[in-house]
Amino acid sequence: MADALDVPDVLPEDPYRWLEEDSSRTRAWLTAQQRLLAAHRERTDDRDWQALLAGIETATAGRLLNPPVEAGELLFQQVLSASGGQLLTATDPHGRSRTLLDTEEHASPTRTASWHPEPRGRAVLVQLHHEGHENGGLHLIPTDGTAPTEYLPEASPHPAVAWAGGLLLYSAGTRTEHTLLARPLRTDTAGNAARHPARTVPLPVPGPVRITLHSGPGGHLLLRTRTAKEPGARWWCTRWDGRGAPGWQRLPLDHLRITAFALGTDRLYLATGRELSALGLPDAAPGHGTAPAPVPLPCPAGDGHLPGEIKALRVLGRDESPCLAVLRQHGTVRYVDLRPVGVPAEGRGVTEAPGRGTTVLTWRARLRLGPASYGGDGRPGDALWVLADDPRDGCWSHRLTAGSAPVTPPAGRSSLRTSTAVSDDGTSLPVTICDPPSAGTGPLPVLVTVYGGFGVPLEPSWDPILAAWLTAGGRVAWVHARGGGEFGAEWAAAGRGEGKSRTVDDLCAAARALVYQGEARPGRLAGLAASNGGLVLAAAVLRAPRLFSAVACAAPLTDMARYTSGGGLGRLWRDEYGDPADPAALAALLAYSPYHHVRQGEPYPATLLITGGNDARVPPWHAWKLCAALQEAPSGRQPVLLDHQSDTGHNGRTGAAATALGARVLALLASRAGLAPPTRRIPSPPADDVNAPTPLRAPRQPTAPAPS
């Protein structure tokens, strides 16, 4: 393969292993890096970029961060504040709004990790992460303001949560070892949590176990378990009212590659790639013997399959006449379909679709479905909200019902286009390109981003750094490398294990194609990526140093011989990268491991490595070791810098700290790519969709997902 590196016969030396230790030597090195960064900032004027980002942040105040949720006649919205904080609000049918949560009221940097309204709208359950820690604990916030918030400290990080009748169920323990707890919802106004202590709910498998949990409108609980002895997922179902122990019934789903699912009143709907099926849940109750296999649902296309893999499902309405909202993705295009299911046939747990279904929305950027609505009586409704990102102009949202007509996106939105690159082995891969508002047809400075891992598709999304680059007149390119989820399981598998080196080849090929196709001039490419994407970008820089003029890698893995060591979640990622204890897998890891391929005298580009001291997924020493190695292999005057902040984590910085970091990133990348910040004021954002609460902002980069 072009630009490939020879695999060492033995494990190379590890001269910066000492940076993995919390020692006086490491702390002194970090202090020296802070001085280097400060000295570089004194020589680099990023004030125009700071002003540009500040204007963008102001213009995006009030934008949605997640799809709105309707529960109990209340509309719940998570929005961005003017200073970069996060607000959670509840609005009644008369337009009266109450702020339930403001992250800026906390003394330390705080991020909302998740929130779950109770179906009747009586309360919302929130997990907050402080100072970058992915900590546990849950806040139970009443929506009527008559009782104080309760804190449940035993809840696990990224907890499993379900509402069942008058019960709240949630996982307790660590990130990977769970117990299941249940407690009644508060019905008095005293707010005394001690009156309703949580109790342990028996699980169908012995621990240690990881669980996910879902509840349906028919009172069913759907449980998924993973244990160390049986790493594959097992699925279980029960109907439980809180009395006694739940009678978990095993479901025959272990052999299926389930890409999406949704609980109806008495059926479980499943997506396995392109196919849909349904399982009648009453038949799976204890005492009914072995649960039947899911029954396929007809495809609306009639004699074939609609293109793309199904990524999300929602059930609209009740099971007497439900409609499925289906989100599917084919390459770089996303579709939302509404598919009526109909009435069950006699003696069967599923039904045949009476209609062909309707594709109501087609979109080329990030697209998310919110939960199905619930009415004031706690029964399921027939609506949900979709949230569509626009990388240049923000985002927009729309309310869908079971009978919605096709949706026309708001006018004036940016158009995305797709080019094709060919990797070294002949594989074609798409590259999504967004042009600036007044782009001509010639080459421009291009900011390239990539992910390529864990089967997670890289979705063009709104981000203040990308918006600033576009406003300044540059292009943005998203490289859909192998390892992601753009084309389903085979595409993801092609970039897994020893195939991860192909992912690096894909990025290199796409970068060359952007120049060859006239999107950018040579020396006018910059790279920005995070987490697994940061690993891929760093590996590409080491493999082909002249491709990029400058790069910024946030929270990257760089020492693939030791990615399972020294904290973080690396021990859970062997399926993605391979096991370093296996000699063959180690050889494949070392073929692209950035830290092991730093060479003296190479013309490496300007490099900024970004870390957080509380990163629970990727230990920051990965970036530190690469930084030290690059600084000891100088070949020119391009800086190698570390931007470390001790009180942040894997998901990045918030508020003013995020804006300041964004300005430093833009100043470094743009100056090397030939892009200058505009001096004019930021134009006002386009008018909102009249059917949307507000347009919005999205998370910055997909990161290695929590194990599930």
Side-chain angles (χ1 to χ4, degrees):
M1 66 183 66
D3 295 318
L5 300 170
D6 294 332
V7 178
D9 294 330
V10 296
L11 186 64
E13 294 182 0
D14 188 358
Y16 300 102
R17 172 79 68 89
W18 55 271
L19 281 171
E20 299 181 23
E21 303 168 2
D22 182 11
S23 65
S24 59
R25 186 183 183 189
T26 298
R27 290 190 290 273
W29 183 85
L30 288 173
T31 300
Q33 297 304 313
Q34 290 176 338
R35 289 196 295 265
L36 284 175
L37 182 64
H40 176 77
R41 290 182 62 194
E42 290 179 359
R43 299 189 300 270
T44 306
D45 187 357
D46 63 7
R47 289 175 296 179
D48 286 341
W49 290 112
Q50 288 195 43
L52 177 59
L53 285 171
I56 288 172
E57 295 284 0
T58 299
T60 58
R63 303 283 177 103
L64 288 166
L65 297 171
N66 281 293
V69 180
E70 295 180 23
E73 298 184 349
L74 292 177
L75 179 67
F76 293 86
Q77 299 177 79
Q78 184 191 15
V79 301
L80 186 71
S81 70
S83 53
Q86 299 173 351
L87 304 176
L88 183 60
T89 66
T91 304
D92 67 19
H94 303 288
R96 296 185 295 254
S97 182
R98 177 188 297 274
T99 297
L100 305 177
L101 174 70
D102 182 352
T103 58
E104 293 188 295
E105 293 179 351
H106 296 262
S108 60
T110 300
R111 181 188 301 273
T112 304
S114 62
W115 51 281
H116 312 269
E118 187 264 338
R120 294 178 183 268
R122 295 174 294 179
V124 62
L125 199 62
V126 178
Q127 182 163 92
L128 299 175
H129 288 169
H130 305 284
E131 297 185 335
H133 291 289
E134 297 186 51
N135 50 264
L138 284 167
H139 300 262
L140 183 61
I141 305 174
T143 57
D144 59 6
T146 60
T149 296
E150 297 181 20
Y151 183 58
L152 313 177
E154 66 278 3
S156 66
H158 305 283
V161 171
W163 308 92
L167 292 174
L168 164 62
L169 296 99
Y170 58 97
S171 60
T174 68
R175 183 166 184 154
T176 58
E177 296 184 5
H178 297 156
T179 57
L180 180 59
L181 301 182
R183 67 189 301 278
L185 285 177
R186 184 177 56 224
T187 56
D188 59 6
T189 59
N192 188 348
R195 295 186 181 181
H196 302 296
R199 66 185 182 93
T200 301
V201 179
L203 294 172
V205 295
V209 59
R210 286 184 284 152
I211 66 171
T212 59
L213 188 67
H214 305 270
S215 56
H220 295 92
L221 292 174
L222 181 67
L223 176 72
R224 185 173 62 173
T225 61
R226 293 180 185 269
T227 65
K229 293 182 178 179
E230 295 185 355
R234 288 186 177 186
W235 297 77
W236 314 79
C237 185
T238 190
R239 255 192 181 135
W240 187 55
D241 59 6
R243 292 177 292 184
W248 298 108
Q249 177 76 10
R250 181 85 174 269
L251 299 180
L253 307 178
D254 302 359
H255 64 290
L256 299 177
R257 188 182 71 87
I258 297 173
T259 57
F261 61 90
L263 276 168
T265 303
D266 57 13
R267 274 169 282 168
L268 171 63
Y269 298 94
L270 302 163
T272 51
R274 296 183 177 187
E275 297 180 351
L276 280 172
S277 59
L279 176 67
L281 292 177
D283 296 336
H288 285 257
T290 303
V295 177
L297 292 174
C299 175
D303 57 353
H305 295 291
L306 294 173
E309 183 171 271
I310 297 172
K311 302 292 187 180
L313 282 177
R314 302 290 187 267
V315 182
L316 304 182
R318 298 161 188 169
D319 267 358
E320 294 81 6
S321 56
C323 176
L324 295 182
V326 180
L327 173 63
R328 54 189 170 89
Q329 179 174 354
H330 181 63
T332 63
V333 184
R334 294 144 195 86
Y335 308 87
V336 177
D337 307 325
L338 295 177
R339 304 188 188 181
V341 179
V343 180
E346 183 69 25
R348 296 181 61 189
V350 323
T351 132
E352 295 185 356
R356 296 176 61 85
T358 303
T359 297
V360 295
L361 179 59
T362 301
W363 193 243
R364 290 186 173 272
R366 190 183 192 202
L367 191 63
R368 287 174 283 171
L369 301 183
S373 63
Y374 277 83
D377 57 359
R379 302 185 69 185
D382 68 345
L384 60 76
W385 288 83
V386 297
L387 193 56
D389 279 53
D390 185 304
R392 191 179 69 197
D393 298 320
C395 308
W396 56 278
S397 57
H398 190 90
R399 187 177 188 266
L400 286 179
T401 63
S404 286
V407 178
T408 301
R413 297 291 170 174
S414 60
S415 60
L416 299 176
R417 53 192 177 87
T418 303
S419 68
T420 301
V422 179
S423 198
D424 290 356
D425 62 359
T427 299
S428 296
L429 59 138
V431 179
T432 299
I433 297 173
C434 185
D435 293 313
S438 57
T441 58
L444 295 171
V446 176
L447 180 57
V448 180
T449 190
V450 69
Y451 189 68
F454 293 89
V456 176
L458 178 65
E459 299 181 299
S461 59
W462 190 89
D463 178 279
I465 292 178
L466 303 186
W469 188 275
L470 291 164
T471 301
R475 286 193 175 102
V476 176
W478 291 262
V479 176
H480 303 283
R482 283 172 284 187
E486 287 85 347
F487 293 100
E490 291 185 4
W491 188 258
R496 187 180 301 133
E498 65 179 16
K500 192 63 69 182
S501 192
R502 301 189 193 103
T503 305
V504 180
D505 285 339
D506 289 351
L507 175 57
C508 294
R512 294 189 188 95
L514 287 167
V515 174
Y516 178 78
Q517 295 168 0
E519 303 290 352
R521 291 188 176 92
R524 292 293 186 257
L525 290 178
L528 173 64
S531 191
N532 180 81
L535 161 65
V536 175
L537 178 58
V541 167
L542 273 296
R543 184 166 291 183
R546 294 175 175 83
L547 275 180
F548 294 94
S549 60
V551 296
C553 302
L557 291 167
T558 72
D559 183 351
M560 298 310 291
R562 289 183 52 75
Y563 83 88
T564 59
S565 305
L569 296 181
R571 67 192 184 281
L572 302 176
W573 297 338
R574 291 183 177 93
D575 287 345
E576 179 67 21
Y577 299 116
D579 189 349
D582 178 351
L586 178 61
L589 289 164
L590 292 177
Y592 65 89
S593 178
Y595 174 60
H596 295 103
H597 290 293
V598 178
R599 295 170 292 196
Q600 293 289 332
E602 287 286 354
Y604 295 119
T607 301
L608 178 64
L609 297 161
I610 303 162
T611 58
N614 295 329
D615 192 332
R617 304 189 190 193
V618 177
W621 53 255
H622 275 277
W624 300 352
K625 291 170 71 172
L626 179 61
C627 179
L630 288 171
Q631 288 174 347
E632 290 299 317
S635 61
R637 296 182 179 180
Q638 296 301 328
V640 176
L641 302 169
L642 174 69
D643 196 321
H644 175 72
Q645 186 168 315
S646 60
D647 62 351
T648 61
H650 195 75
N651 291 318
R653 304 175 194 180
T654 60
T659 301
L661 174 61
R664 292 194 291 274
V665 169
L666 286 164
L668 179 76
L669 301 184
S671 63
R672 269 71 183 177
L675 183 67
T679 56
R680 60 182 175 82
R681 295 181 60 186
I682 307 304
S684 300
D688 297 349
D689 175 6
V690 295
N691 199 23
T694 45
L696 55 299
R697 160 183 171 169
R700 302 204 166 180
Q701 268 269 349
T703 56
S708 59

